[in-house]
Amino acid sequence: MKKYKIGILGATGIVGQNYINLLQNHPWFQIVDVAASPRSADKTYKEAVKPKWQMPLSIPKNVKNLMVRDVQDFEKIPKDLSFVFSALNMPTKEQIKELEVKYAKRGIPVISNNSAHRWTPDVPMIIGEINHEHVNVIPIQQKNMGFTQGFIVVKPNCSLQSYLTPIYALEQAGYKVDKLIITTLQGVSGAGYPGVPSLDIIDNIVPYINGEEEKTEKEPLKILGKVGKNGIENDDSIAISATCTRVPVSDGHTASVNVKFKDAVPSKEEIIKIWNSFKSVPQELDLPFAPKQPIIYLENTDRPQPKKDRDNDKGMAVTVGRLREDNVFDFKFVSLSHNTVRGAAGGSILSAELLVAKGFIN
Ligand code: NAP
């Protein structure tokens, strides 16, 4: 198979580093362009990232000597770039929106981690196993925005897949969900680099993450929606109440979830069977980053734990446990996924693979 030449915007940040780490031996994608702020521009990647490299392996040979490009320097974009991953943090969402549109206008598809475009109705917000068919909104977006080959696709918030994938699997099996109460315990890498000051988080829990509860309550409605005439039409049939907290864990976002069903209530055994056997299009297409078993249920009473379970299936699987009856709702459970892998770089690599497989990236 041909190798697609790709770029990473925000290559020096935490998510950017995860792309570089995860794409080392990718069978389809080859990193040829790394871009970041003017602070990093015109340095080799190694020089620019050196003080903040957080990955377990050293910087791959094919990337360490690439010159970092200023993300605003369009003249230096390699001519044969197939698409870019965007992992930028900029002072305002408007700046990110504008920049991503500029790349798409130049014919370069953008697969973004940022929340700037999540509420643009004709921009799909993809979790490969759930709403793969939302890629079909891309021609509508291209028409609305006057893009020729370019387009924008986004990833949802980094904790979402841990609870939404198990909920979606139950809905797919015919058990409609009515209400969810979700409490997240989110790792510090979710705040980027350098992130939360150590004195704020060591020996502590911070019961607030700016904007996170709104994302947890709203984004599932778009993901569970359907492609309409002008974009994604939300499905607001599930009521969600969320509390999001920051905890002293390096990687891994955990969620405690209480669920109430609309009509029929499955048994505990049925739920576990549905989760363990759940598969979707990324698995059917055998995409390189698709976890073999997207939801892994652990019977041990003290799991999932971030340290022990976040790396399941190379960090791409959602691990669930502690399913039990709830005195107020029907059931409650605990779920976990790796925020910078499944919730960011890895999840969007899977989206890129889906876009290649469906013919949107050439
Ligand atoms: P980060 O560690 O703060 O990295 C930010 C990146 O953006 C760096 O490459 C930085 O370049 C670049 N940047 C900052 N200001 C810029 C500017 N004015 N112009 C151009 N580039 C600029 O952030 P992160 O955690 O990797 O997150 C990146 C994006 O992914 C964010 O939108 C975040 O919300 C989202 N996200 C993060 C996670 C996670 O778990 N961390 C999960 C899902 C989504 P320099 O090094 O040159 O400053």
Side-chain angles (χ1 to χ4, degrees):
M1 186 167 175
K2 101 172 193 191
K3 277 236 176 179
Y4 295 81
K5 294 187 176 166
I6 66 139
I8 299 167
L9 314 182
T12 49
I14 286 287
V15 177
Q17 293 177 30
N18 270 276
Y19 280 117
I20 285 161
N21 188 45
L22 292 170
L23 288 169
Q24 296 201 44
N25 297 307
H26 196 279
W28 302 357
F29 306 144
Q30 179 193 359
I31 302 168
V32 297
D33 183 44
V34 284
S37 79
R39 290 180 291 275
S40 306
D42 301 321
K43 295 179 183 156
T44 62
Y45 183 76
K46 189 176 146 195
E47 266 180 282
V49 84
K50 205 174 181 181
K52 45 188 187 180
W53 181 253
Q54 295 290 313
M55 299 296 104
L57 303 175
S58 48
I59 305 171
K61 276 202 190 101
N62 63 322
V63 174
K64 68 179 182 189
N65 293 321
L66 288 178
M67 291 305 282
V68 178
R69 183 174 60 79
D70 177 346
V71 285
Q72 306 278 3
D73 186 349
F74 298 101
E75 296 312 310
K76 286 194 184 151
I77 300 175
K79 296 279 171 283
D80 47 359
L81 212 55
S82 292
F83 68 92
V84 292
F85 288 113
S86 170
L88 289 168
N89 250 343
M90 289 172 90
T92 69
K93 298 280 172 217
E94 275 318 304
Q95 284 170 289
I96 298 185
K97 253 188 176 176
E98 228 175 79
L99 189 75
E100 292 181 346
V101 166
K102 280 186 186 165
Y103 276 83
K105 278 223 157 91
R106 289 180 166 255
I108 302 171
V110 178
I111 301 165
S112 179
N113 288 276
N114 194 270
S115 59
H117 269 295
R118 287 189 195 150
W119 286 100
T120 309
D122 55 15
V123 169
M125 177 158 53
I126 305 285
I127 294 179
E129 284 84 356
I130 300 181
N131 60 344
H132 37 86
E133 82 285 355
H134 282 198
V135 296
N136 294 327
V137 84
I138 288 172
I140 299 174
Q141 179 195 129
Q142 288 176 319
K143 189 162 169 257
N144 290 345
M145 296 295 294
F147 300 151
T148 48
Q149 280 182 312
F151 57 81
I152 300 168
V153 165
V154 294
K155 249 214 55 62
N157 178 257
C158 48
S159 67
L160 223 90
Q161 65 283 332
S162 57
Y163 44 88
L164 199 58
T165 317
I167 291 300
Y168 173 76
L170 297 174
E171 291 222 315
Q172 279 301 96
Y175 297 105
K176 288 295 289 171
V177 169
D178 188 26
K179 293 184 177 123
L180 292 172
I181 292 185
I182 299 167
T183 304
T184 65
L185 302 95
Q186 306 189 194
V188 286
S189 63
Y193 186 88
V196 191
S198 53
L199 282 178
D200 285 347
I201 198 69
I202 294 173
D203 190 26
N204 206 11
I205 292 173
V206 181
Y208 174 72
I209 307 173
N210 186 19
E212 210 76 355
E213 289 171 359
E214 293 78 356
K215 291 173 189 168
T216 307
E217 291 173 357
K218 275 179 68 188
E219 289 182 13
L221 313 184
K222 182 171 181 183
I223 294 164
L224 297 174
K226 59 178 192 320
V227 179
K229 263 207 253 151
N230 296 314
I232 306 298
E233 292 168 0
N234 294 349
D235 174 351
D236 54 7
S237 62
I238 304 181
I240 304 175
S241 170
T243 303
C244 296
T245 71
R246 186 74 72 196
V247 295
V249 162
S250 57
D251 291 311
H253 288 353
T254 303
S256 164
V257 182
N258 301 58
V259 51
K260 180 155 183 30
F261 290 96
K262 265 197 172 48
D263 308 305
V265 178
S267 68
K268 181 178 171 182
E269 293 67 34
E270 248 176 311
I271 295 177
I272 294 172
K273 196 167 156 214
I274 290 166
W275 284 341
N276 278 333
S277 58
F278 174 73
K279 286 201 173 28
S280 183
V281 166
Q283 287 70 37
E284 284 158 21
L285 293 172
D286 200 17
L287 299 177
F289 260 60
K292 297 275 170 282
Q293 185 179 330
I295 304 171
I296 298 170
Y297 185 81
L298 298 181
E299 294 286 350
N300 320 42
T301 48
D302 61 353
R303 305 282 278 278
Q305 295 178 18
K307 230 167 145 173
K308 295 178 179 168
D309 301 312
R310 64 189 165 208
D311 292 325
N312 281 338
D313 210 332
K314 299 187 205 77
M316 290 298 288
V318 171
T319 308
V320 191
R322 301 215 61 221
L323 179 67
R324 62 238 192 260
E325 283 187 15
D326 186 23
N327 291 336
V328 180
F329 281 9
D330 293 316
F331 277 99
K332 51 189 170 185
F333 62 88
V334 176
S335 59
L336 163 82
S337 65
H338 197 303
N339 55 298
T340 57
V341 180
R342 180 72 223 211
S348 55
I349 293 170
L350 184 63
S351 297
E353 293 169 353
L354 187 71
L355 289 161
V356 168
K358 293 203 173 235
F360 286 97
I361 290 176
N362 301 300

